Amino acid sequence: MDIFKILDLIYEIPEQSKLALRNNVSEIAFSKGHILLKANKIESNIYFIKKGLVRAFVERDNEVTFWFGKEGETVISMKSYVEDQPGYENIELLEDCELYELKTENLRKLFNEDVHIANWGRKFAEKELIKTEERLISKQFKNASERYSELMKDHPELLQRVQLGHIASYLGITQVSLSRIRAELK
């Protein structure tokens, strides 16, 4: 997916502002299995997924997946981005990925130079907050079958691209429970 399209998905800004952002972005690629962001580390970059799929997870007694990102989405440690503190998540590439990389330091400079980019950053943060809130509400108030049905409805492509173990972890259930739910919904 083109960087200009990704930027517009967040918030449309004038062409000159988009070009200023684009001039601070570089393209990179990593192989499946690469850990892009590491927990307990201050991350200094933001990534936009051009091609591929990633997951965010935390390590407890086992790995707990709490987010998937695909083409057009942003990969970021919000704690590092907002507070310059170590993040709590790991981001693993589930497929070979092509990414756009933007240094947080450069983005902050652009915020000070261009009000349109500053507004883009505000809209980005607002959308991230809404996504987090929706995940929290889903986890707290919906049962596993409802969460799986919601995933099938909103992101059916993930069911084809993500291992069932990661899907089960994301839903907060075991693979056995996921198999049972899938059988019941057929």
Side-chain angles (χ1 to χ4, degrees):
M1 181 176 282
D2 178 69
I3 187 64
F4 292 120
K5 185 173 182 182
I6 293 171
L7 296 173
D8 283 345
L9 286 173
I10 295 167
Y11 182 69
E12 290 190 32
I13 57 177
E15 210 58 35
Q16 184 176 347
S17 300
K18 272 193 269 195
L19 287 171
L21 274 169
R22 174 64 182 106
N23 289 338
N24 283 275
V25 167
S26 56
E27 291 188 43
I28 57 172
F30 294 105
S31 299
K32 176 181 178 176
H34 177 77
I35 302 296
L36 185 64
L37 274 62
K38 294 181 175 108
N40 303 313
K41 180 179 179 286
I42 297 174
E43 294 296 337
S44 58
N45 297 313
I46 299 166
Y47 300 92
F48 305 96
I49 304 173
K50 179 179 182 179
K51 183 176 184 245
L53 184 69
V54 304
R55 76 174 177 120
F57 68 96
V58 293
E59 293 187 53
R60 296 281 186 246
D61 296 333
N62 56 354
E63 292 179 357
V64 178
T65 299
F66 64 90
W67 176 76
F68 296 106
K70 59 187 185 308
E71 291 82 3
E73 296 198 43
T74 306
V75 179
I76 188 170
S77 168
M78 286 302 284
K79 191 154 178 131
S80 292
Y81 173 71
V82 173
E83 297 184 333
D84 282 323
Q85 293 185 7
Y88 52 84
E89 70 274 89
N90 295 291
I91 305 287
E92 175 188 21
L93 279 54
L94 298 178
E95 298 174 349
D96 293 345
C97 287
E98 296 174 23
L99 306 159
Y100 299 106
E101 180 182 67
L102 173 61
K103 295 194 177 313
T104 305
E105 175 185 337
N106 293 351
L107 181 57
R108 287 183 181 137
K109 286 178 188 170
L110 290 170
F111 287 162
N112 291 326
E113 296 169 1
D114 186 323
V115 69
H116 300 292
I117 295 173
N119 283 330
W120 176 89
R122 178 184 49 81
K123 285 304 272 188
F124 166 72
E126 291 170 352
K127 287 184 175 200
E128 288 299 307
L129 177 62
I130 289 169
K131 284 194 271 185
T132 300
E133 183 178 71
E134 288 173 346
R135 283 194 304 267
L136 176 67
I137 289 169
S138 177
K139 197 85 159 188
Q140 291 290 329
F141 298 106
K142 295 182 180 176
N143 65 39
S145 292
E146 291 169 328
R147 291 193 307 271
Y148 182 74
S149 294
E150 185 176 72
L151 184 65
M152 282 192 333
K153 181 179 127 265
D154 296 340
H155 304 286
E157 72 286 354
L158 290 180
L159 302 174
Q160 306 301 315
R161 296 170 72 181
V162 177
Q163 296 174 21
L164 288 181
H166 295 322
I167 298 279
S169 174
Y170 175 75
L171 296 172
I173 59 176
T174 65
Q175 274 190 259
V176 173
S177 295
L178 177 58
S179 295
R180 183 181 39 77
I181 289 167
R182 293 177 72 199
E184 288 171 3
L185 293 175
K186 284 188 179 178

